[in-house]
Amino acid sequence: MALPLPPGLVPTEVAFLCEMEMVTIVPRQRLESIALLSGDTPALRPPHRAQLPLWLALLLKKQRRANIVPPPWLHPESLKDILNHETNVDPEAFSPPPPPPTRSDGRGIARPYGQASSEPKPGEVALSPPFLPSCTQDAPSGYLPYHWLELSEILLAHAADDIPHAAEVRALLRDLQEVRAAKMRGSTVYLEGGGGVLSLRGVGAMELAESRGFISGVVEGVRKLGASAEANRREEEEEDRRGGGAEESDEEMGF
């Protein structure tokens, strides 16, 4: 009998999905196009850059046939700005997600990505993070994409020589991870009483997968405490009602 699966994605599944992210490489050898389920890859012609899935870029990197270009948000200056925002600018909330991209129509009016006009129409789906191109590894400097934690760990493990100042980047990522983990644990105070709302704006996929069990346990504990308090309140009301009825009967009998 198969065991029931836990709700949501586990960290290993999140890391697997992260390998579908498109990254930029600089090929070192010529390679023809490869037919994949997601479509044909571009033909590689050094030194022209190309976009490939992360898993394929790691394979070519291991074979010394390509170098991986680090994303702009993985540079030390960008990580320092994000860490400063997390610790000094807004110590209570997470750093905001990348801004949504805009496109200009023929009249020079900017409109949100995925919309045919600047005003959304009824029934039109408006994309939001993390389903925007700016939330992928192409996130601009100063912002963290949705898969920032697992993507940075994979690149540092398999392509550290392609990342400038890899040791400093690794230290900044460790500090950033600790700061955001402390915020995640401390944000559960808003759930006390059962009526709070926990904002997860700017939280990454791996952070959600790792904290889901802890947050779910806190919510379940708050629910049980609320149910126990409600049961005690009802018992006290019932006892008061019985005590009031006994006093009325004594007065009617003249005692």
Side-chain angles (χ1 to χ4, degrees):
M1 180 178 178
L3 297 176
L5 295 176
L9 297 175
V10 298
T12 52
E13 294 172 335
V14 173
F16 175 78
L17 293 177
C18 175
E19 294 184 358
M20 307 300 176
E21 286 272 348
M22 302 296 291
V23 296
T24 303
I25 69 166
V26 178
R28 303 174 65 179
Q29 296 180 2
R30 296 171 62 92
L31 182 65
E32 299 301 326
S33 177
I34 303 175
L36 302 177
L37 292 177
S38 58
D40 296 342
T41 63
L44 303 183
R45 298 290 184 269
H48 301 288
R49 298 186 177 188
Q51 293 275 336
L52 291 179
L54 177 59
W55 65 268
L56 182 55
L58 294 175
L59 179 61
L60 296 178
K61 173 64 179 179
K62 184 178 180 180
Q63 298 175 351
R64 299 182 180 180
R65 304 174 68 180
N67 293 87
I68 300 178
V69 179
W73 56 268
L74 198 55
H75 289 269
E77 293 75 14
S78 173
L79 295 176
K80 289 179 182 178
D81 292 340
I82 299 173
L83 187 59
N84 177 67
H85 186 281
E86 295 274 358
T87 55
N88 300 324
V89 178
D90 195 352
E92 300 296 331
F94 297 94
S95 58
T102 57
R103 294 181 177 179
S104 177
D105 56 13
R107 296 173 293 179
I109 301 176
R111 57 183 177 83
Y113 181 87
Q115 294 184 8
S117 60
S118 58
E119 296 294 333
K121 298 180 180 179
E124 188 175 26
V125 178
L127 298 179
S128 61
F131 306 104
L132 290 173
S134 58
C135 290
T136 63
Q137 67 96 23
D138 289 329
S141 177
Y143 296 93
L144 293 176
Y146 188 56
H147 290 285
W148 71 273
L149 181 55
E150 54 273 32
L151 181 59
S152 59
E153 290 180 350
I154 292 175
L155 292 180
L156 286 172
H158 301 282
D161 56 330
D162 291 338
I163 300 177
H165 311 287
E168 183 180 4
V169 169
R170 187 177 286 107
L172 290 171
L173 287 172
R174 188 183 305 112
D175 295 340
L176 190 60
Q177 184 179 2
E178 293 176 355
V179 170
R180 291 170 67 90
K183 286 185 178 183
M184 181 68 75
R185 293 190 299 267
S187 59
T188 55
V189 298
Y190 299 105
L191 300 177
E192 296 180 358
V197 177
L198 180 60
S199 175
L200 298 178
R201 183 173 183 265
V203 180
M206 185 62 73
E207 294 172 301
L208 291 175
E210 293 178 345
S211 304
R212 181 176 287 108
F214 173 74
I215 300 296
S216 300
V218 172
V219 172
E220 182 66 17
V222 171
R223 186 192 65 80
K224 291 181 179 180
L225 290 176
S228 178
E230 179 66 18
N232 293 335
R233 184 184 65 82
R234 292 182 179 180
E235 291 179 359
E236 293 177 358
E237 291 180 352
E238 185 66 22
E239 292 178 358
D240 294 341
R241 191 179 301 110
R242 292 177 181 176
E247 293 178 358
E248 291 179 358
S249 62
D250 291 343
E251 292 177 357
E252 291 177 356
M253 296 180 64
F255 293 110

